[in-house]
């Protein structure tokens, strides 16, 4: 009798497994936690929304967050954070306990309105799907701005409480990569993209950047092989690790001088295989002639996205406080 057990085509452990019949089994970060109308600890409210739902399998959703209101007015304004979760472009979502709890804590500390975007995942939806979905979500967010001919968007939290003069993009790992690439789109001035809202700043937490040639300590780091394998799996149409979307400082790529924001915060961790790439990005941004202010934070003794695993640790709390300070700092003067 022939075995009915499905055959494995390939794996990207510990994240997913692809079978020869085409179905994908995700092996981690598949849990779902519900939104809450008033978190008993933080006072933050959250709700789930659909941004795009089309018959051709394009489904973009998000979780919205509103900090605890401190006045009775219905128009109290907060900085607006558009957040992109990590997970190597292939796992996780805003609805997992890991990312929901983190964004909830960040919203409470920073007093920001947040839109945590759920984009389509590889391998079923390879790059550029994540970028396209994230850009569509950002356009949808911008439609709520009165400066963009909106102010009457479908979500009252954004209409009434988002300060569109203080818009930030942020993310962890792959989400930080998305935030960088959207800021490059914003700075391109290309009317094709139709992004008519200014981005004040980006916060890149342990950004997923890579390259074909090892730098720094990468050749000795046990995580290098996994990091080097990721982009070819999620972007089979251009599997080169020097694709400018994953290696933003590659020779011949778009200059970082075109980054479309006025502030950038890069966060790295001492034991993270991606640390050196974060430093290279920061140094390149500081020296390329970009007319913004770049900062970097390195957390000693920690690994990649350590804060997501223990929000109660002192170092996680410190990172959240420093992100909150970045979102609430006075705007730098225009050059």
């Amino acid at each position: 009798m022939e075995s009915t057990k499905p055959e494995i085509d390939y794996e990207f452990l510990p994240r997913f497994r692809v079978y020869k019949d085409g179905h994908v089994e995700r092996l981690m970060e598949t849990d779902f936690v519900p939104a809450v109308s008033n978190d008993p600890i933080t006072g933050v409210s959250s709700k789930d929304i659909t941004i795009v739902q089309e018959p051709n399998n394009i489904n973009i959703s998000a979780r919205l967050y509103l900090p605890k209101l401190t006045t009775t007015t219905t128009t109290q304004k907060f900085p607006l954070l558009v957040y992109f979760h990590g997970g190597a472009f292939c796992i996780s979502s805003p609805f997992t306990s890991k990312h929901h709890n983190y964004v909830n804590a960040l919203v409470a500390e920073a007093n920001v309105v947040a839109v945590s975007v759920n984009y389509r995942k590889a391998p079923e939806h390879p790059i550029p799907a994540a970028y396209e979905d994230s850009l569509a979500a950002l356009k949808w967010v911008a439609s709520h701005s009165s400066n963009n001919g909106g102010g009457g968007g479908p979500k009252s939290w954004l209409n009434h409480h988002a300060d569109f003069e203080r818009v930030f993009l942020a993310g962890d790992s792959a989400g930080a990569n998305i935030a960088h690439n959207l800021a490059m789109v914003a700075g391109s001035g290309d009317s094709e993209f139709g992004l008519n809202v200014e981005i004040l700043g980006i916060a890149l937490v342990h950004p997923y950047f890579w390259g074909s040639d090892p730098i720094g300590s990468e050749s000795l780091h046990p995580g290098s092989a996994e990091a080097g394998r990721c982009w070819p799996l999620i972007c089979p149409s251009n599997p080169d690790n020097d694709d400018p979307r994953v290696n933003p400082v590659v020779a011949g790529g778009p200059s970082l001088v075109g980054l479309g924001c006025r502030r950038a915060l890069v966060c790295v961790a001492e034991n993270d295989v991606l640390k050196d790439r974060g430093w290279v990005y920061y140094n390149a941004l500081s020296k390329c002639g970009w007319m913004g202010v770049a900062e970097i934070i390195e957390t000693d003794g920690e690994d990649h996205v350590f804060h997501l695993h223990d929000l109660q640790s002192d170092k996680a709390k410190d990172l959240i406080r420093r992100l909150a300070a970045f979102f609430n700092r006075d705007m730098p003067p225009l050059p």
Side-chain angles (χ1 to χ4, degrees), residues 55-118:
N56 57 355
N57 206 25
I58 298 179
N59 297 296
I60 309 170
S61 56
R63 179 162 288 182
L64 306 187
Y65 294 83
L66 181 69
K68 185 177 181 179
L69 299 178
T70 57
T71 71
T72 57
T73 178
T74 59
T75 57
Q76 185 178 358
K77 297 288 187 179
F78 304 94
L80 172 60
L81 172 63
V82 184
Y83 188 83
F84 307 97
H85 69 84
F89 291 97
C90 58
I91 60 169
S92 201
S93 80
F95 318 119
T96 63
S97 56
K98 180 185 292 186
H99 280 101
H100 169 75
N101 292 339
Y102 168 60
V103 177
N104 185 76
L106 182 58
V107 167
E109 180 68 30
N111 267 333
V112 295
V113 173
V115 182
S116 185
V117 178
N118 187 35

Side-chain angles (χ1 to χ4, degrees), residues 83-86 89 117 119-120 127 129-135 138 169-185 202 204 207-209 245:
Y83 188 83
F84 307 97
H85 69 84
F89 291 97
V117 178
Y119 49 85
R120 289 172 295 164
I127 297 295
Y131 298 129
E132 292 170 347
D133 291 0
S134 299
L135 179 58
L138 185 54
L169 308 183
D172 61 276
S173 195
N177 176 293
I178 292 172
H180 157 75
N181 279 286
L182 289 192
M184 292 296 290
V185 169
I202 59 173
L204 311 183
Y208 167 52
F209 297 138
R245 293 171 293 185

Side-chain angles (χ1 to χ4, degrees), residues 1-17:
M1 179 181 292
E2 293 186 6
S3 172
T4 58
K5 185 177 180 180
E7 291 186 73
I8 296 172
D9 187 9
Y10 65 93
E11 298 175 311
F12 185 31
L13 299 178
R15 294 172 180 83
F16 66 78
R17 182 177 291 131

